[in-house]
Amino acid sequence: MEWKGKERKERWKDQDQAGHLSTWIHLLCQAASLLLQLVWTMLMAVRFVLLRTMDAAAGRWAETPTPTATHYEGYVTHQRIQPLQHNLQYPVRVCCVDLDCPPPWFQEHKKLAKTMSAGEAREKAGTNGRVLLLTQPSVAGYVMNPISIYFCYQKEEDAIASNRGVPQDGARKRASEPSGNALASTNNDAMQDERRSRGEKDPGEALPHMRKQGNKISANDPDLQHLKIGLAEVTNTPWGARVTFAFDPHGHNNAPFSLGSGPCPASVERQTRGDKQASEDHESMQFRKEVRAPTPKCLHVSPFMDMKSGWVLKARLETDSVCVSVGVKHPEMGDYFVAELRCQKSGDPHRRNEYSSWRNLLKYGFMPHRVAWWIYWHAAVLLWKGVPFVAPPSKAERAKRVESCAWPTLMANGHRLEWEDPTSFPWQSDL
């Protein structure tokens, strides 16, 4: 019996050694693949520069403006305070594309980035209006988009009713009728009241003026559509796994976020603030418990963060600006990380970075390559500072976490999210 026990232990030891060896070989293959990818993208970038130089010599520098693609300039900032402090900021120039009529160059980007079409996004979001994609266009055959946002709009019922000769307040009158449309009408009124409380313009208020001008009112008019839901498409680097999920772009389904606060910041602040403010904090905390929750972290995006966190997403897209904020809430470290994108409309908004001006080329040219450089460089800095490295969870662990967490926003098909795992070697491991 003792001999059999020793034999079993030796066999387990050999299996462990073989497993460690296989893991190291896999990691070496991934490192070699990443290095080759970086070298290849740099060669493609050099080739692209040479071709653009030839175009400039022939007087073909700037491309034709495409109004359905609008560029915004600004900065991406990261702030981390746990387990140690680390900040970064770099300039970016992003693009917002109308997916119903994308520019000609978008076909190449769609093939590389594997983005959704307008119809696919509407199907997942359950909307019927336009779809705008906030993304980073591919350059020289290379794409790098840690997060892309689909802004999904809903057509106004008042506009549709107006085309049929129904009075503008017809929806409110139908709310009192005992029909199946009563609930939808009531929800529409509540939605309009909510927009007014946020200080947003009610598209229905423009209808009387349009009628006076004798214009035909179309529900397809962008001014008569409101932003209903956002779809976030998150990709981790360098693995290439992707997850897509729905969220409220206004942040109504998100817990309040404040960098540096703990799990229950109001309970600490009440000790030094007045009774009135303490009461407001208490009401805010109760509201958070009842109707607000962060989106559970469902993808191993950074090797310096575990999977216990939740994401607090908020996005705002306007004519002259765009803002996206992603906060990380942790059950032990509180609100310890936030990433923000804040941009203003570019001076040359309808041309890509490499086809606009020398200024945009020097400052924003090859944006995907720059973003990749910043990601890998600051990963090395975090390792140098001693931030612990967190290994990716298995698919089973990831699925178990998603199923066990409360989900504030679901897609129209009832799914919490949709995964797309890497399929090419050596990245198709059990992530």
Side-chain angles (χ1 to χ4, degrees):
M1 294 296 293
E2 182 178 356
W3 175 78
K4 289 183 178 180
K6 290 182 179 180
E7 182 183 14
R8 189 180 297 109
K9 290 180 179 180
E10 291 178 358
R11 185 167 64 251
W12 287 346
K13 183 177 180 181
D14 293 340
Q15 291 176 352
D16 290 342
Q17 290 177 349
H20 289 309
L21 179 61
S22 175
T23 300
W24 278 106
I25 292 176
H26 201 166
L27 290 175
L28 288 175
C29 290
Q30 289 182 342
S33 175
L34 178 60
L35 181 61
L36 290 175
Q37 182 186 19
L38 292 175
V39 172
W40 174 253
T41 54
M42 293 308 298
L43 291 176
M44 292 295 292
V46 172
R47 174 180 176 273
F48 182 87
V49 170
L50 293 176
L51 293 177
R52 291 297 294 136
T53 303
M54 295 173 61
D55 289 341
R60 300 189 302 267
W61 175 259
E63 68 179 356
T64 303
T66 52
T68 57
T70 304
H71 289 78
Y72 298 83
E73 302 175 4
Y75 290 89
V76 168
T77 58
H78 288 192
Q79 292 180 279
R80 172 195 284 266
I81 61 173
Q82 292 289 346
L84 51 81
Q85 187 170 353
H86 180 76
N87 301 328
L88 72 91
Q89 177 177 286
Y90 56 88
V92 294
R93 192 170 187 259
V94 296
C95 184
C96 188
V97 180
D98 188 340
L99 292 184
D100 286 299
C101 47
W105 56 260
F106 186 76
Q107 295 303 320
E108 179 184 359
H109 172 83
K110 182 178 180 180
K111 182 179 179 181
L112 292 171
K114 300 178 181 179
T115 60
M116 292 185 288
S117 65
E120 292 171 331
R122 277 191 284 264
E123 183 179 357
K124 289 181 173 61
T127 56
N128 59 8
R130 58 179 178 156
V131 178
L132 304 180
L133 171 62
L134 182 65
T135 189
Q136 189 68 253
S138 60
V139 181
Y142 183 67
V143 63
M144 170 62 69
N145 271 309
I147 181 171
S148 296
I149 303 292
Y150 296 81
F151 294 90
C152 302
Y153 289 77
Q154 183 76 7
K155 296 177 183 178
E156 291 291 337
E157 292 185 3
D158 282 345
I160 299 175
S162 297
N163 280 336
R164 297 173 180 172
V166 179
Q168 183 179 350
D169 59 348
R172 291 177 175 81
K173 292 181 180 179
R174 288 194 304 271
S176 60
E177 298 176 2
S179 63
N181 294 330
L183 180 59
S185 302
T186 304
N187 291 339
N188 184 55
D189 294 343
M191 193 184 314
Q192 293 178 359
D193 293 339
E194 185 178 358
R195 284 198 301 272
R196 293 190 186 98
S197 67
R198 296 197 301 264
E200 299 178 4
K201 183 179 179 180
D202 186 353
E205 295 175 357
L207 295 176
H209 172 72
M210 297 176 67
R211 291 194 187 95
K212 291 179 181 179
Q213 298 298 324
N215 298 329
K216 181 180 179 181
I217 303 171
S218 172
N220 294 320
D221 190 334
D223 292 333
L224 300 180
Q225 300 183 28
H226 66 271
L227 178 59
K228 180 180 178 181
I229 199 168
L231 297 176
E233 203 172 62
V234 182
T235 306
N236 61 2
T237 303
W239 298 278
R242 174 181 293 177
V243 63
T244 303
F245 58 91
F247 72 99
D248 185 346
H250 306 294
H252 298 157
N253 285 340
N254 289 327
F257 185 87
S258 178
L259 187 65
S261 65
C264 297
S267 61
V268 178
E269 295 176 358
R270 287 193 203 104
Q271 299 176 5
T272 57
R273 300 165 75 175
D275 294 339
K276 181 179 179 181
Q277 186 63 47
S279 176
E280 294 177 358
D281 287 342
H282 177 70
E283 293 177 0
S284 176
M285 292 297 294
Q286 290 298 323
F287 179 65
R288 181 193 339 188
K289 291 178 182 178
E290 291 173 4
V291 300
R292 296 190 178 186
T295 300
K297 183 178 179 181
C298 45
L299 182 67
H300 185 72
V301 179
S302 169
F304 304 102
M305 296 183 184
D306 58 31
M307 294 291 291
K308 299 178 182 178
S309 304
W311 290 329
V312 178
L313 281 82
K314 194 171 183 179
R316 186 178 76 249
L317 178 61
E318 298 179 351
T319 304
D320 57 351
S321 65
V322 58
C323 297
V324 178
S325 173
V326 182
V328 178
K329 300 182 73 70
H330 196 275
E332 301 167 3
M333 294 184 286
D335 303 342
Y336 78 102
F337 177 87
V338 63
E340 288 186 321
L341 167 71
R342 293 186 176 273
C343 297
Q344 298 293 323
K345 189 174 181 179
S346 174
D348 188 7
H350 304 305
R351 291 189 178 97
R352 287 176 290 173
N353 307 350
E354 296 75 24
Y355 298 86
S356 175
S357 63
W358 282 105
R359 179 255 183 192
N360 286 338
L361 175 63
L362 295 176
K363 188 173 183 179
Y364 302 110
F366 300 95
M367 207 71 246
H369 303 73
R370 297 178 187 234
V371 172
W373 162 255
W374 279 106
I375 289 176
Y376 296 133
W377 169 253
H378 281 275
V381 171
L382 289 174
L383 283 174
W384 178 261
K385 288 184 174 182
V387 177
F389 186 88
V390 180
S394 65
K395 292 180 181 178
E397 294 173 341
R398 183 181 63 182
K400 182 178 179 181
R401 168 173 169 74
V402 171
E403 291 296 331
S404 63
C405 292
W407 216 261
T409 306
L410 297 179
M411 289 188 283
N413 55 15
H415 294 173
R416 291 180 172 88
L417 50 81
E418 292 184 358
W419 276 313
E420 183 179 339
D421 291 311
T423 56
S424 60
F425 180 84
W427 306 107
Q428 80 284 15
S429 59
D430 186 25
L431 295 178

